[in-house]
Amino acid sequence: MSKSHATGREDAWEGVVTGRSRGMLDGSNMYHFVEVRLVDGASVKVRVSRPLWKSIAVGDRITKRPNADPCKA
């Protein structure tokens, strides 16, 4: 992967989900992540909300608009 957790609130991107994961990074809170292959070929791992994480599967397309949360396309 080229970047990990490096997307900012002002960034915009679009891509296809290549993996899903979750973990208790701080020992008490569950965090949900998806790996996304962007349209330019780069891969990023981004944190998403639990409802979005539960609603997507590998192969689904998701988008992120500036100052918005990622959503299923």
Side-chain angles (χ1 to χ4, degrees):
M1 240 188 300
S2 61
K3 297 191 301 183
S4 179
H5 311 288
T7 58
R9 189 85 179 137
E10 298 81 25
D11 291 341
W13 47 261
E14 182 175 344
V16 176
V17 176
T18 59
R20 298 177 351 143
S21 62
R22 63 184 180 167
M24 296 179 72
L25 304 179
D26 61 4
S28 63
N29 295 305
M30 182 66 71
Y31 295 98
H32 299 83
F33 300 97
V34 291
E35 294 178 29
V36 180
R37 171 77 57 191
L38 303 177
V39 292
D40 66 0
S43 292
V44 293
K45 185 174 184 179
V46 294
R47 186 174 153 196
V48 296
S49 67
R50 181 176 186 248
L52 177 61
W53 189 85
K54 290 180 77 170
S55 71
I56 59 176
V58 172
D60 287 348
R61 181 169 293 279
I62 63 173
T63 60
K64 160 87 172 67
R65 300 291 171 228
N67 297 315
D69 293 329
C71 62
K72 191 173 180 179

